[in-house]
Amino acid sequence: MDNVAVARALEDLADLQELSGIAVFKVRAFRGAARAIEGLSENIADLTRDGKLKDVRGVGEGVARRIKELLEFGKIAEAEELREKLPPGLVDLMNLPGIGLKTAQQVWKELSITSVDELEAAAKAGKLRDLSRFGQKREEKLVLAIEAWRKRAAAPKRRPLAEAMLAAEALVERVRKVPGVIACEFAGSLRRRAETIGDLDILVAAKLEDTALIMDAFVNAPEVVEVLGKGDTKTSVVLEGGMQADLRVIEQDAWGAAIQYFTGSKDHNVAMRTIAVKKKLKVSEYGVFDASGKKIAGETEASVYEAIGLRWIAPELRENRGEIEAALANTLPKLVELTDLRGDLHMHTTETDGKSSLEQMAEAARAAGRAYVAITDHSETLTFVRGMGKDRLRAQRKKIREVEESLHGEIRLFAGLEADILIDGTLDVEDELPELEWVIGSVHTHFQMTREAMTKRVVKAIESGKMDCLGHPTGRQLGWREPYAIDMEAVLQAMKRTGVAIEMNCSPSRLDIDEHTARMARDLGVPIVLNSDAHGVRELVHLRYGIGIARRAWLSAEHVLNTRTASELQEWRAARRS
Ligand code: DGT
Ligand code: CA
Ligand code: CA
Ligand code: ZN
């Protein structure tokens, strides 16, 4: 049990005591101790074992006894007893953000409300507004807060990268406009572009006297549904959809140190601190300090790394997977960037299951600065999305040439196909379609196979010689479909033998392949293609999610096929096919 858990248990005990009418002065000791324990740098269990519990500020005889009990039995008997005597829904009620102990007591005493359901019904019926310290506005907010609380309880805890990124960008943009804000950025796992995000960590550089306006702007953002805590330097809120966001205000001279610290990962920070200690330096979120306690760096992030003898490390690499060693040896890779991507080799149109026409897709891709794209609608056997047979394919190819001409050669359009990999590993494409310029092979049906059978199926398709790239290689859909069982290493080996590329599908619901497989592909020398798999013009931006994953896989531009020019790509393809 860690310090936070112990503090929370004491806090709960204090709440239960207070709800049960135990005198406030008796309760206060538990709250004070909880706060002290949360702020401790030593582990409370260690202190207990060493008999040093009483040295902790605010821990007297009574508190110490409860802590020992908690560490030994995992619970405090007094808390259990008090909880049993109270109406069961009351504790839930009290834990509702924006309610707390005082209000729970108030609605219980005055309206006999003892559950969240009853509270919600009362709020909707307008029965709360006349209570003291309430009013119509708070009553309305409460209904929203309860809805958000329910959603959050039901929602998976970690959120997909794209959802977190959109939410964070909106908040950052809003906060940047507040007078006094010198800088505002998101940190944490989102800055590292992890696949899923626990919570948002937003940092602001400002003078401390300017924080009030900043905090107000933050909590009043339209997507905020609950305020968990609002202070001078830190505020925590819950957003629509249930994600938590923390905002911290930092003074400018510690900005670099703070953003370094709060970007993490924790493992990276720990490894960094180990290096610092060897040099008799101390790194914290306030700066880098020498043995005499003098601050030697902290205003910029690069200065923090430099102070301990490291090159600046891209956030996507900060997982303690060799990046510190590489920074020391000056062998960090030059990571691929979004602007390195010249083309996009997977997208659909209204011809099959896309929402935008060929003309619209081509024009949007041109406007987005792509030098080339492949139009890859579905193949014939995928009848539920009106897959195309060879006649329609030929007709589409003709149309592609026309659209290309109408855009004056500003974008090269490859006539492609996303061919189904059938259950026996046959690729759903006619032998006599040499005019196709880009063929993706993908599994869209029959996911339930043994690992062996699925591997054999996909390897056979790779070896057919008709495929340029394997699409969304594991079939996963984040949050609702697990990857199918497949031996990715065997698949990569087959690709290496035959010169087929592997897709990193950048659709935020897929992100398939993941960073681990991408790293494996890179190490084997299998080229990786970052594709949007756009099913409409608005989805062409998907590349920005995949690029983060690609960087986490240590990819440079040279590992990514669609950083090449259109003619280099055609040469690559011709070389394999000859
Ligand atoms: P998440 O939110 O679960 O997706 O992951 P992070 O990495 O954003 O983690 P979070 O939000 O708990 O903390 C943000 C960063 O703050 C984390 O990456 C590193 C830093 N940090 C937080 N707690 C600690 C800690 O106990 N020790 C160290 N060294 N760093 C910490
Ligand atoms: Ca976080
Ligand atoms: Ca956090
Ligand atoms: Zn597909």
Side-chain angles (χ1 to χ4, degrees), residues 490-516:
V491 168
L492 285 168
Q493 291 291 357
M495 297 175 120
K496 188 180 161 72
R497 279 197 304 278
T498 52
V500 169
I502 193 161
E503 175 175 81
M504 178 178 286
N505 189 297
C506 303
S507 164
S509 62
R510 292 191 185 268
L511 297 178
D512 182 11
I513 49 180
D514 69 9
E515 63 197 65
H516 305 290

PDB file of all heavy atoms in Angstrom, residues 490-516:
ATOM      1  N   ALA A 490       7.151 -13.979 -38.143  1.00  0.00           N
ATOM      2  CA  ALA A 490       7.152 -14.805 -39.356  1.00  0.00           C
ATOM      3  C   ALA A 490       6.654 -13.988 -40.546  1.00  0.00           C
ATOM      4  O   ALA A 490       7.173 -14.098 -41.662  1.00  0.00           O
ATOM      5  CB  ALA A 490       6.270 -16.034 -39.147  1.00  0.00           C
ATOM      6  N   VAL A 491       5.643 -13.155 -40.284  1.00  0.00           N
ATOM      7  CA  VAL A 491       5.101 -12.302 -41.345  1.00  0.00           C
ATOM      8  C   VAL A 491       6.173 -11.326 -41.832  1.00  0.00           C
ATOM      9  O   VAL A 491       6.387 -11.148 -43.037  1.00  0.00           O
ATOM     10  CB  VAL A 491       3.857 -11.549 -40.820  1.00  0.00           C
ATOM     11  CG1 VAL A 491       3.447 -10.440 -41.769  1.00  0.00           C
ATOM     12  CG2 VAL A 491       2.703 -12.522 -40.606  1.00  0.00           C
ATOM     13  N   LEU A 492       6.888 -10.725 -40.890  1.00  0.00           N
ATOM     14  CA  LEU A 492       7.942  -9.769 -41.269  1.00  0.00           C
ATOM     15  C   LEU A 492       9.059 -10.462 -42.043  1.00  0.00           C
ATOM     16  O   LEU A 492       9.601  -9.900 -43.002  1.00  0.00           O
ATOM     17  CB  LEU A 492       8.484  -9.070 -40.020  1.00  0.00           C
ATOM     18  CG  LEU A 492       7.567  -7.991 -39.425  1.00  0.00           C
ATOM     19  CD1 LEU A 492       8.056  -7.586 -38.040  1.00  0.00           C
ATOM     20  CD2 LEU A 492       7.489  -6.777 -40.344  1.00  0.00           C
ATOM     21  N   GLN A 493       9.381 -11.670 -41.646  1.00  0.00           N
ATOM     22  CA  GLN A 493      10.417 -12.420 -42.369  1.00  0.00           C
ATOM     23  C   GLN A 493       9.991 -12.664 -43.815  1.00  0.00           C
ATOM     24  O   GLN A 493      10.797 -12.522 -44.744  1.00  0.00           O
ATOM     25  CB  GLN A 493      10.707 -13.764 -41.668  1.00  0.00           C
ATOM     26  CG  GLN A 493      11.400 -13.642 -40.315  1.00  0.00           C
ATOM     27  CD  GLN A 493      12.846 -13.148 -40.414  1.00  0.00           C
ATOM     28  OE1 GLN A 493      13.384 -12.942 -41.499  1.00  0.00           O
ATOM     29  NE2 GLN A 493      13.472 -12.935 -39.254  1.00  0.00           N
ATOM     30  N   ALA A 494       8.697 -13.004 -43.997  1.00  0.00           N
ATOM     31  CA  ALA A 494       8.190 -13.231 -45.357  1.00  0.00           C
ATOM     32  C   ALA A 494       8.273 -11.946 -46.176  1.00  0.00           C
ATOM     33  O   ALA A 494       8.578 -11.953 -47.370  1.00  0.00           O
ATOM     34  CB  ALA A 494       6.755 -13.734 -45.290  1.00  0.00           C
ATOM     35  N   MET A 495       8.007 -10.820 -45.524  1.00  0.00           N
ATOM     36  CA  MET A 495       8.061  -9.538 -46.226  1.00  0.00           C
ATOM     37  C   MET A 495       9.484  -9.195 -46.610  1.00  0.00           C
ATOM     38  O   MET A 495       9.748  -8.658 -47.676  1.00  0.00           O
ATOM     39  CB  MET A 495       7.496  -8.448 -45.322  1.00  0.00           C
ATOM     40  CG  MET A 495       6.044  -8.703 -45.006  1.00  0.00           C
ATOM     41  SD  MET A 495       5.454  -7.493 -43.852  1.00  0.00           S
ATOM     42  CE  MET A 495       4.184  -6.817 -44.826  1.00  0.00           C
ATOM     43  N   LYS A 496      10.386  -9.532 -45.720  1.00  0.00           N
ATOM     44  CA  LYS A 496      11.792  -9.262 -45.991  1.00  0.00           C
ATOM     45  C   LYS A 496      12.262 -10.069 -47.213  1.00  0.00           C
ATOM     46  O   LYS A 496      12.917  -9.547 -48.100  1.00  0.00           O
ATOM     47  CB  LYS A 496      12.609  -9.613 -44.747  1.00  0.00           C
ATOM     48  CG  LYS A 496      14.062  -9.202 -44.805  1.00  0.00           C
ATOM     49  CD  LYS A 496      14.737  -9.619 -43.514  1.00  0.00           C
ATOM     50  CE  LYS A 496      16.242  -9.664 -43.661  1.00  0.00           C
ATOM     51  NZ  LYS A 496      16.854  -8.335 -43.765  1.00  0.00           N
ATOM     52  N   ARG A 497      11.830 -11.342 -47.255  1.00  0.00           N
ATOM     53  CA  ARG A 497      12.199 -12.211 -48.388  1.00  0.00           C
ATOM     54  C   ARG A 497      11.645 -11.695 -49.707  1.00  0.00           C
ATOM     55  O   ARG A 497      12.295 -11.779 -50.742  1.00  0.00           O
ATOM     56  CB  ARG A 497      11.595 -13.621 -48.173  1.00  0.00           C
ATOM     57  CG  ARG A 497      12.366 -14.528 -47.243  1.00  0.00           C
ATOM     58  CD  ARG A 497      11.930 -15.988 -47.425  1.00  0.00           C
ATOM     59  NE  ARG A 497      10.506 -16.256 -47.263  1.00  0.00           N
ATOM     60  CZ  ARG A 497       9.900 -16.419 -46.082  1.00  0.00           C
ATOM     61  NH1 ARG A 497      10.588 -16.324 -44.955  1.00  0.00           N
ATOM     62  NH2 ARG A 497       8.608 -16.669 -46.022  1.00  0.00           N
ATOM     63  N   THR A 498      10.404 -11.176 -49.666  1.00  0.00           N
ATOM     64  CA  THR A 498       9.713 -10.848 -50.907  1.00  0.00           C
ATOM     65  C   THR A 498       9.727  -9.356 -51.230  1.00  0.00           C
ATOM     66  O   THR A 498       9.263  -8.951 -52.296  1.00  0.00           O
ATOM     67  CB  THR A 498       8.247 -11.296 -50.818  1.00  0.00           C
ATOM     68  OG1 THR A 498       7.703 -10.738 -49.613  1.00  0.00           O
ATOM     69  CG2 THR A 498       8.131 -12.809 -50.754  1.00  0.00           C
ATOM     70  N   GLY A 499      10.200  -8.540 -50.291  1.00  0.00           N
ATOM     71  CA  GLY A 499      10.247  -7.098 -50.541  1.00  0.00           C
ATOM     72  C   GLY A 499       8.893  -6.416 -50.487  1.00  0.00           C
ATOM     73  O   GLY A 499       8.642  -5.448 -51.203  1.00  0.00           O
ATOM     74  N   VAL A 500       8.012  -6.928 -49.649  1.00  0.00           N
ATOM     75  CA  VAL A 500       6.711  -6.276 -49.457  1.00  0.00           C
ATOM     76  C   VAL A 500       6.819  -5.317 -48.264  1.00  0.00           C
ATOM     77  O   VAL A 500       7.566  -5.577 -47.323  1.00  0.00           O
ATOM     78  CB  VAL A 500       5.616  -7.349 -49.224  1.00  0.00           C
ATOM     79  CG1 VAL A 500       4.306  -6.740 -48.768  1.00  0.00           C
ATOM     80  CG2 VAL A 500       5.407  -8.171 -50.494  1.00  0.00           C
ATOM     81  N   ALA A 501       6.086  -4.225 -48.324  1.00  0.00           N
ATOM     82  CA  ALA A 501       6.123  -3.243 -47.234  1.00  0.00           C
ATOM     83  C   ALA A 501       5.021  -3.521 -46.218  1.00  0.00           C
ATOM     84  O   ALA A 501       4.044  -4.208 -46.514  1.00  0.00           O
ATOM     85  CB  ALA A 501       5.948  -1.832 -47.801  1.00  0.00           C
ATOM     86  N   ILE A 502       5.188  -2.995 -45.025  1.00  0.00           N
ATOM     87  CA  ILE A 502       4.160  -3.161 -44.001  1.00  0.00           C
ATOM     88  C   ILE A 502       3.514  -1.816 -43.698  1.00  0.00           C
ATOM     89  O   ILE A 502       4.183  -0.788 -43.677  1.00  0.00           O
ATOM     90  CB  ILE A 502       4.735  -3.814 -42.721  1.00  0.00           C
ATOM     91  CG1 ILE A 502       3.599  -4.267 -41.795  1.00  0.00           C
ATOM     92  CG2 ILE A 502       5.679  -2.866 -41.966  1.00  0.00           C
ATOM     93  CD1 ILE A 502       4.042  -5.302 -40.766  1.00  0.00           C
ATOM     94  N   GLU A 503       2.201  -1.828 -43.506  1.00  0.00           N
ATOM     95  CA  GLU A 503       1.492  -0.584 -43.236  1.00  0.00           C
ATOM     96  C   GLU A 503       1.485  -0.256 -41.753  1.00  0.00           C
ATOM     97  O   GLU A 503       1.298  -1.127 -40.907  1.00  0.00           O
ATOM     98  CB  GLU A 503       0.033  -0.698 -43.708  1.00  0.00           C
ATOM     99  CG  GLU A 503      -0.819   0.522 -43.345  1.00  0.00           C
ATOM    100  CD  GLU A 503      -2.232   0.472 -43.900  1.00  0.00           C
ATOM    101  OE1 GLU A 503      -3.104  -0.192 -43.303  1.00  0.00           O
ATOM    102  OE2 GLU A 503      -2.454   1.083 -44.959  1.00  0.00           O
ATOM    103  N   MET A 504       1.691   1.028 -41.462  1.00  0.00           N
ATOM    104  CA  MET A 504       1.283   1.532 -40.165  1.00  0.00           C
ATOM    105  C   MET A 504       0.021   2.334 -40.452  1.00  0.00           C
ATOM    106  O   MET A 504       0.080   3.446 -40.975  1.00  0.00           O
ATOM    107  CB  MET A 504       2.351   2.413 -39.533  1.00  0.00           C
ATOM    108  CG  MET A 504       1.877   2.953 -38.199  1.00  0.00           C
ATOM    109  SD  MET A 504       3.102   3.952 -37.401  1.00  0.00           S
ATOM    110  CE  MET A 504       4.241   2.709 -36.861  1.00  0.00           C
ATOM    111  N   ASN A 505      -1.103   1.723 -40.152  1.00  0.00           N
ATOM    112  CA  ASN A 505      -2.386   2.356 -40.414  1.00  0.00           C
ATOM    113  C   ASN A 505      -2.615   3.418 -39.343  1.00  0.00           C
ATOM    114  O   ASN A 505      -2.654   3.126 -38.147  1.00  0.00           O
ATOM    115  CB  ASN A 505      -3.470   1.271 -40.378  1.00  0.00           C
ATOM    116  CG  ASN A 505      -4.814   1.769 -40.851  1.00  0.00           C
ATOM    117  OD1 ASN A 505      -5.398   2.656 -40.245  1.00  0.00           O
ATOM    118  ND2 ASN A 505      -5.298   1.200 -41.943  1.00  0.00           N
ATOM    119  N   CYS A 506      -2.730   4.672 -39.758  1.00  0.00           N
ATOM    120  CA  CYS A 506      -2.738   5.793 -38.800  1.00  0.00           C
ATOM    121  C   CYS A 506      -4.129   6.174 -38.332  1.00  0.00           C
ATOM    122  O   CYS A 506      -4.280   7.147 -37.587  1.00  0.00           O
ATOM    123  CB  CYS A 506      -2.068   7.006 -39.422  1.00  0.00           C
ATOM    124  SG  CYS A 506      -0.382   6.684 -39.955  1.00  0.00           S
ATOM    125  N   SER A 507      -5.131   5.446 -38.782  1.00  0.00           N
ATOM    126  CA  SER A 507      -6.476   5.706 -38.294  1.00  0.00           C
ATOM    127  C   SER A 507      -6.454   5.568 -36.774  1.00  0.00           C
ATOM    128  O   SER A 507      -5.964   4.567 -36.252  1.00  0.00           O
ATOM    129  CB  SER A 507      -7.440   4.695 -38.913  1.00  0.00           C
ATOM    130  OG  SER A 507      -8.641   4.707 -38.179  1.00  0.00           O
ATOM    131  N   PRO A 508      -6.959   6.580 -36.039  1.00  0.00           N
ATOM    132  CA  PRO A 508      -6.808   6.539 -34.587  1.00  0.00           C
ATOM    133  C   PRO A 508      -7.495   5.352 -33.932  1.00  0.00           C
ATOM    134  O   PRO A 508      -7.136   4.973 -32.826  1.00  0.00           O
ATOM    135  CB  PRO A 508      -7.426   7.864 -34.107  1.00  0.00           C
ATOM    136  CG  PRO A 508      -8.149   8.421 -35.264  1.00  0.00           C
ATOM    137  CD  PRO A 508      -7.617   7.803 -36.511  1.00  0.00           C
ATOM    138  N   SER A 509      -8.442   4.744 -34.610  1.00  0.00           N
ATOM    139  CA  SER A 509      -9.081   3.565 -34.020  1.00  0.00           C
ATOM    140  C   SER A 509      -8.251   2.308 -34.267  1.00  0.00           C
ATOM    141  O   SER A 509      -8.538   1.265 -33.701  1.00  0.00           O
ATOM    142  CB  SER A 509     -10.487   3.395 -34.577  1.00  0.00           C
ATOM    143  OG  SER A 509     -10.412   3.189 -35.965  1.00  0.00           O
ATOM    144  N   ARG A 510      -7.238   2.408 -35.106  1.00  0.00           N
ATOM    145  CA  ARG A 510      -6.409   1.221 -35.389  1.00  0.00           C
ATOM    146  C   ARG A 510      -4.988   1.353 -34.841  1.00  0.00           C
ATOM    147  O   ARG A 510      -4.535   0.536 -34.066  1.00  0.00           O
ATOM    148  CB  ARG A 510      -6.341   0.973 -36.893  1.00  0.00           C
ATOM    149  CG  ARG A 510      -7.657   0.533 -37.520  1.00  0.00           C
ATOM    150  CD  ARG A 510      -7.399   0.063 -38.953  1.00  0.00           C
ATOM    151  NE  ARG A 510      -8.596  -0.278 -39.688  1.00  0.00           N
ATOM    152  CZ  ARG A 510      -9.107  -1.510 -39.743  1.00  0.00           C
ATOM    153  NH1 ARG A 510      -8.554  -2.480 -39.075  1.00  0.00           N
ATOM    154  NH2 ARG A 510     -10.189  -1.748 -40.459  1.00  0.00           N
ATOM    155  N   LEU A 511      -4.246   2.351 -35.310  1.00  0.00           N
ATOM    156  CA  LEU A 511      -2.812   2.461 -35.007  1.00  0.00           C
ATOM    157  C   LEU A 511      -2.178   1.072 -35.091  1.00  0.00           C
ATOM    158  O   LEU A 511      -1.695   0.513 -34.105  1.00  0.00           O
ATOM    159  CB  LEU A 511      -2.583   3.110 -33.636  1.00  0.00           C
ATOM    160  CG  LEU A 511      -3.094   4.546 -33.523  1.00  0.00           C
ATOM    161  CD1 LEU A 511      -2.873   5.089 -32.113  1.00  0.00           C
ATOM    162  CD2 LEU A 511      -2.427   5.465 -34.538  1.00  0.00           C
ATOM    163  N   ASP A 512      -2.183   0.560 -36.315  1.00  0.00           N
ATOM    164  CA  ASP A 512      -1.852  -0.843 -36.554  1.00  0.00           C
ATOM    165  C   ASP A 512      -0.916  -0.893 -37.758  1.00  0.00           C
ATOM    166  O   ASP A 512      -1.337  -0.543 -38.851  1.00  0.00           O
ATOM    167  CB  ASP A 512      -3.175  -1.587 -36.825  1.00  0.00           C
ATOM    168  CG  ASP A 512      -2.984  -3.074 -37.034  1.00  0.00           C
ATOM    169  OD1 ASP A 512      -1.883  -3.587 -36.774  1.00  0.00           O
ATOM    170  OD2 ASP A 512      -3.961  -3.720 -37.475  1.00  0.00           O
ATOM    171  N   ILE A 513       0.346  -1.211 -37.614  1.00  0.00           N
ATOM    172  CA  ILE A 513       1.040  -1.876 -36.528  1.00  0.00           C
ATOM    173  C   ILE A 513       1.359  -0.925 -35.360  1.00  0.00           C
ATOM    174  O   ILE A 513       1.383   0.289 -35.538  1.00  0.00           O
ATOM    175  CB  ILE A 513       2.377  -2.487 -37.028  1.00  0.00           C
ATOM    176  CG1 ILE A 513       3.145  -1.419 -37.809  1.00  0.00           C
ATOM    177  CG2 ILE A 513       2.121  -3.702 -37.869  1.00  0.00           C
ATOM    178  CD1 ILE A 513       4.487  -1.885 -38.372  1.00  0.00           C
ATOM    179  N   ASP A 514       1.631  -1.533 -34.215  1.00  0.00           N
ATOM    180  CA  ASP A 514       1.979  -0.715 -33.064  1.00  0.00           C
ATOM    181  C   ASP A 514       3.490  -0.451 -33.036  1.00  0.00           C
ATOM    182  O   ASP A 514       4.236  -0.912 -33.901  1.00  0.00           O
ATOM    183  CB  ASP A 514       1.503  -1.373 -31.763  1.00  0.00           C
ATOM    184  CG  ASP A 514       2.270  -2.651 -31.421  1.00  0.00           C
ATOM    185  OD1 ASP A 514       3.292  -2.969 -32.070  1.00  0.00           O
ATOM    186  OD2 ASP A 514       1.832  -3.352 -30.487  1.00  0.00           O
ATOM    187  N   GLU A 515       3.925   0.300 -32.029  1.00  0.00           N
ATOM    188  CA  GLU A 515       5.335   0.732 -32.000  1.00  0.00           C
ATOM    189  C   GLU A 515       6.307  -0.446 -31.876  1.00  0.00           C
ATOM    190  O   GLU A 515       7.423  -0.367 -32.378  1.00  0.00           O
ATOM    191  CB  GLU A 515       5.536   1.727 -30.863  1.00  0.00           C
ATOM    192  CG  GLU A 515       5.265   1.142 -29.491  1.00  0.00           C
ATOM    193  CD  GLU A 515       5.058   2.211 -28.432  1.00  0.00           C
ATOM    194  OE1 GLU A 515       4.065   2.959 -28.532  1.00  0.00           O
ATOM    195  OE2 GLU A 515       5.869   2.298 -27.511  1.00  0.00           O
ATOM    196  N   HIS A 516       5.870  -1.525 -31.232  1.00  0.00           N
ATOM    197  CA  HIS A 516       6.793  -2.646 -31.032  1.00  0.00           C
ATOM    198  C   HIS A 516       7.044  -3.386 -32.350  1.00  0.00           C
ATOM    199  O   HIS A 516       8.183  -3.703 -32.692  1.00  0.00           O
ATOM    200  CB  HIS A 516       6.242  -3.600 -29.965  1.00  0.00           C
ATOM    201  CG  HIS A 516       5.938  -2.904 -28.680  1.00  0.00           C
ATOM    202  ND1 HIS A 516       6.933  -2.408 -27.861  1.00  0.00           N
ATOM    203  CD2 HIS A 516       4.764  -2.550 -28.099  1.00  0.00           C
ATOM    204  CE1 HIS A 516       6.374  -1.804 -26.824  1.00  0.00           C
ATOM    205  NE2 HIS A 516       5.064  -1.877 -26.949  1.00  0.00           N
TER     206      HIS A 516
END
